[in-house]
Each structure stands twice: as structure tokens, then as C-alpha cells.
Amino acid sequence: MTDKSANTMWGGRFAAGPDAIMEAINASIGFDQRMASQDIAGSRAHAAMLGATSILSNKDVEAIREGLLTVLSEIEGGTFEFSTALEDIHMNVEARLKEVIGEPAGRLHTGRSRNDQVATDFKLWVRDQLDAAEGALLSLINALLEQAEAGADWVMPGFTHLQTAQPVTWGHHMMAYVEMFGRDLSRVRDARARMNESPLGAAALAGTSFPIDRYMTAQELGFDRPAANSLDAVSDRDFALEFLGLASICAMHLSRFAEELVIWSSAQFRFVTLSDRFSTGSSIMPQKKNPDAAELIRAKVGRIFGANTGLMMVMKGLPLTYSKDMQEDKEQVFDAADNWMLALAAMDGMVRDMTANRASLAAAAGSGFSTATDLADWLVRVLGLPFRDAHHITGSLVALAEAEGCDLPDLTLEQMKTAHADITNDVFDVLGVENSVASRTSYGGTAPVQVRAQVARWKEILS
Ligand code: ARG
């Protein structure tokens, strides 16, 4: 060491320590301390392997593994002093280990590098997030299944262009989100399976001349196998990008549902009542109950997709293998993960607490000529008209009802007959919304029997 302020970890060839600005731009300890437990798990696995392969003595390995537990408890207990001069979590842990156990600490870094170490730590961290997301998605899906089951036959308007289209059931609408979050769940599981290869032992980039056992460390850390190419292992951040990609899609789903809850809870719709626990008031308008949680969930997709774009830009064009650019991967992933988890939890709480207003849903279901398609289908089925003619006749009846200021079922048979002389009283059966939804029994349709079948299918899938 030629200068006291040069870095003790890599300062051998340096005569002076870094400028304060250099230290500020270089250090990642401010954020990568979140990977402390993964870092220590990785080091414990590496140490055990160094012992099993006789690269280190069992005595040194014991000291290292014990010492790492001490360091972990200091970090978890909040007594650990993180140092910016030590750059990152890897060097902070190793430096403290040296203080705790002395000389054997210096042997821990045999046959590895911070490059495979950071890739391993980050993968373990992202994998933990995927596991948490799986639990959160399962819980949300279950909450939606409860809503769907309770209201499998509650009629409500279905929309296209946010204009009343055809009556559907509350259960059917809830089940649409079950399908979406179900796909998110399968993306989480796919990503987890694909990412579950261990970078540890790739060392700096080329592997190592020490007789390490990468299968052993992979197994100890719960990976399926070691990553097969050392250059790829240290420079791959696909797992983080996939995480952000699937989180973005899920956050997009959450935002669509959130938007519906904002609309539905308005005084103009009154389709749902959100609980006080997931609403806020206004400081000036005493009557207000605002759906803030839904609005914030709606907004979260912005920063999550932003992180996805941000990391894609960091990785784009980087030559193999590790470049320091890649240190910019973590903060965005941490932020996206925190906000995705929060949005999932908030949506879960809102769905469990919310009350669907059956009467308002039913009242809205019948307005806006929502059974016009049923009328056209009746003309095809009973009178044998071509659908295009039936569509035209129905359109003229909608215009008539609009002129009369009434809904389709309120027209008299005589008025109906002005559009087509063969129309009979039976037509009124299909103009009711209950009959309309009950008739849509095609697979995946809105009929309560289909909705109940889908609820049962999902319960089976999840059991
Ligand atoms: N703090 C670094 C990161 O987060 C760890 C890897 C450093 N490797 C290196 N060759 N400087 O990426």
C-alpha cells in the first residue's frame, strides 16, 4: 500500500485514493446494501465449496462461514456501518469479515470475482421478488374469484368504446381480470424457471484455474444448474429485464382495473363502493371520498415501464463482458419491484373490501339499448332473416325508442310491427337483460353457468 487512502481491496497498483467525485459516482453501497443477505448467502455457499474441494482448509472455511453469520446479524440488527470508500456491498461485507475473523477472510475471494458475485446476488434478489409476486398474484386472483362467485349472475352493462354494448355479468367481468393476472402468474413462473442458472464461479469472465465445483454452489443457492458460459454469466442481465417486462405488463393490467374502479366508484356510475380503508377525503370538500389508491395504482405502470426502458438502454450496445454501466441496473429494479408489490397489495385490499352495488349494476345493464343484439339475433333465429337485415330493422327500432324516450322493452308490439310485420310478443322475452346474459352460454361467454364453470376451473388450477 503506497497511500493510506488507496482502496485496500484493489489499491495495490495505486499511489493515491480516488477523488471525492470519483468515489461518489463509483459507489453503489447506498443502494446495493439491499442485497446483503443474498451476498452473504452467496459467500457462504462459495466458502463451503472451497472447503469441499480442498481449495481452502476446513478451519478457514468454518471461520469464514461463522464470521459471515456475524456480519449478517450486524446488518440485520442495524449496527453495521456501511462505508462509501468500500464501494459496494461485496467489499463492505468482506472488509468487515476481515475485522471479525482476521486473515482467513482474505481467502474467501479465491476463484471468484465481484463480477460473478454481483450477478449472483442480483439474480437471487430478483428471484426472491418473483417468489413474492407469485404469492401476491395468487392472493389477488383468489380475491377476484370470491367477487366473481358472489356475483356470477349479477347483470351489468358490458362496454366497448366505453359505450354500453351488451349486458354481461359482474362475475364475468371479474373473471376477465382473473385471466389477465393468471397470465401474469404464468409469466412469473416462466421467468423464474429460465433465470434459475447460477453465475457463481464464472469468476471475472473466463472461469478459474482453481478446481471449483459450480454444481455444488448452484445447488446450495437453489439454482437448477450453473450457467454454461462464463462470459454470458457475468454480462447477462436478461433476468432483470424479463422481471421488469413482466412487471410492466402486470402493472398495465392493474392500471386498467384501477381505471375501471375510478370510473365505477364515481357518483355517476355507483357500480362499486370502495371501503373507507382504501379511500381518502378532501381537505376542502366534505362530501368527497376519493379513490386515491386506485389512482396511484393506475400511475405505477409509468415508473415500472420506465425502469424497463431505462435498463434496456443501459444494456443496449454494451460489449461483452462486464462493464461498470451494469451497476446502473439495480436502483431501477429495486424501485420497480417495490412499487409493483405495493400496487399488487393495494389492489388486493381494494378488491377484498369493495362492494358491488347490485341494483345500480342492474339498472345500468338495461339502459342504452343493451339488448339490441338480442333483438337482432331473435329476428334471425325466429323469423329466419339474414343478420344484416335484422341489424337494420333493429337499428330502426332503436331509433324509434330513442325518439319515444324509452328503452327497447318499453315499445309496444304495434310499434315493433312497424319495423317488421311478423314480429310477435315472444320477442319481449329476449329483451330482458337476465335472459340476455343467460342465453350467452357459448364457451367463455357471460352466462352465469359459464361464469361458474370458469370459477370452478380456476379453483381447480389453483388447488
Ligand atoms: N458494484 C458493482 C456492480 O454493482 C459490483 C461489480 C464490480 N465489478 C467490477 N469489475 N468493478 O456492478
Side-chain angles (χ1 to χ4, degrees):
M1 188 90 347
T2 37
D3 183 303
K4 277 206 286 291
S5 55
N7 190 300
T8 50
M9 297 288 163
W10 45 249
R13 77 183 303 290
F14 283 74
D19 187 89
I21 301 289
M22 178 60 209
E23 197 170 284
I25 195 172
N26 196 39
S28 55
I29 188 62
F31 47 88
D32 68 12
Q33 53 183 269
R34 283 191 69 170
M35 307 192 306
S37 71
Q38 289 81 6
D39 191 73
I40 286 170
S43 287
R44 280 175 51 84
H46 183 67
M49 181 277 292
L50 291 176
T53 50
S54 304
I55 297 168
L56 293 193
S57 72
N58 287 331
K59 190 161 151 280
D60 283 346
V61 169
E62 258 326 291
I64 290 169
R65 282 173 59 87
E66 277 302 304
L68 284 168
L69 286 185
T70 304
V71 176
L72 180 62
S73 68
E74 289 175 1
I75 293 174
E76 285 173 345
T79 59
F80 191 98
E81 273 182 44
F82 292 103
S83 148
T84 309
L86 289 165
E87 274 184 53
D88 56 26
I89 185 62
H90 325 296
M91 297 207 290
N92 269 269
V93 167
E94 192 185 315
R96 178 66 188 136
L97 183 67
K98 179 115 189 274
E99 286 170 7
V100 175
I101 66 167
E103 194 248 30
R107 301 184 193 278
L108 170 61
H109 216 50
T110 311
R112 80 169 182 192
S113 148
R114 273 189 296 156
N115 295 348
D116 59 339
Q117 195 179 354
V118 73
T120 305
D121 293 4
F122 196 30
K123 242 189 196 188
L124 291 173
W125 194 91
V126 170
R127 197 178 69 184
D128 287 346
Q129 296 302 305
L130 288 175
D131 291 341
E134 178 173 25
L137 281 164
L138 283 168
S139 176
L140 177 56
I141 289 171
N142 275 308
L144 287 162
L145 284 173
E146 278 172 36
Q147 284 283 353
E149 197 164 32
D153 57 358
W154 298 1
V155 290
M156 68 178 283
F159 300 90
T160 61
H161 315 267
L162 197 57
Q163 308 289 319
T164 299
Q166 293 172 351
V168 296
T169 53
W170 171 257
H172 200 46
H173 204 114
M174 292 299 106
M175 291 305 289
Y177 284 103
V178 167
E179 292 293 328
M180 290 187 244
F181 295 123
R183 286 194 296 277
D184 292 327
L185 181 64
S186 90
R187 268 184 283 273
V188 164
R189 289 171 173 165
D190 287 352
R192 192 193 196 282
R194 189 161 29 254
M195 73 174 284
N196 207 26
E197 296 185 340
S198 173
L200 196 58
L205 75 163
T208 175
S209 57
F210 289 100
I212 61 171
D213 181 349
R214 292 192 59 209
Y215 284 91
M216 181 178 165
T217 45
Q219 195 187 4
E220 168 123 3
L221 294 170
F223 288 113
D224 295 327
R225 64 193 81 85
N229 182 293
S230 63
L231 304 176
D232 176 51
V234 295
S235 64
D236 166 42
R237 293 295 181 272
D238 290 6
F239 62 90
L241 285 165
E242 265 197 80
F243 172 76
L244 293 173
L246 67 86
S248 295
I249 295 175
C250 179
M252 175 274 288
H253 290 154
L254 287 167
S255 83
R256 296 181 75 174
F257 194 18
E259 166 69 355
E260 298 208 300
L261 294 178
V262 169
I263 295 173
W264 291 352
S265 61
S266 68
Q268 288 70 24
F269 271 75
R270 294 184 196 279
F271 284 7
V272 297
T273 306
L274 299 176
S275 73
D276 288 357
R277 302 193 323 141
F278 285 93
S279 307
T280 56
S282 158
S283 55
I284 174 165
M285 297 165 282
Q287 87 284 10
K288 293 284 294 263
K289 189 168 146 188
N290 294 327
D292 291 38
E295 294 171 81
L296 287 162
I297 293 170
R298 186 173 59 186
K300 290 297 184 194
V301 63
R303 64 202 293 169
I304 296 171
F305 190 66
N308 192 12
T309 314
L311 183 55
M312 192 64 96
M313 289 303 104
V314 168
M315 296 306 296
K316 174 196 166 295
L318 283 187
L320 300 188
T321 55
Y322 179 85
S323 294
K324 193 70 173 225
D325 306 52
M326 290 163 69
Q327 182 168 287
E328 289 289 309
D329 56 2
K330 291 171 209 66
E331 280 166 293
Q332 313 196 55
V333 171
F334 293 163
D335 182 77
D338 290 345
N339 284 282
W340 183 32
M341 294 305 154
L342 190 55
L344 279 167
M347 185 57 91
D348 190 282
M350 273 200 300
V351 172
R352 285 175 194 282
D353 276 18
M354 76 183 176
T355 313
N357 302 325
R358 190 174 181 179
S360 310
L361 291 167
S367 68
F369 313 109
S370 65
T371 53
T373 315
D374 298 89
L375 172 53
D377 287 349
W378 185 89
L379 294 170
V380 170
R381 203 171 46 243
V382 179
L383 300 189
L385 300 183
F387 184 76
R388 279 294 152 228
D389 297 349
H391 186 284
H392 192 81
I393 292 166
T394 305
S396 70
L397 286 169
V398 166
L400 178 62
E402 207 162 34
E404 296 286 317
C406 67
D407 280 317
L408 280 176
D410 305 324
L411 292 173
T412 64
L413 182 59
E414 284 61 47
Q415 287 173 314
M416 290 276 185
K417 280 179 179 294
T418 62
H420 197 288
D422 296 347
I423 295 179
T424 67
N425 249 325
D426 290 354
V427 77
F428 289 101
D429 288 348
V430 301
L431 297 182
V433 287
E434 308 277 348
N435 287 340
S436 168
V437 297
S439 72
R440 295 217 153 72
T441 52
S442 54
Y443 181 82
T446 197
V449 3
Q450 278 295 338
V451 173
R452 291 197 179 97
Q454 291 300 331
V455 171
R457 185 177 70 87
W458 270 100
K459 283 188 171 173
E460 175 73 31
I461 292 171
L462 300 180
S463 70

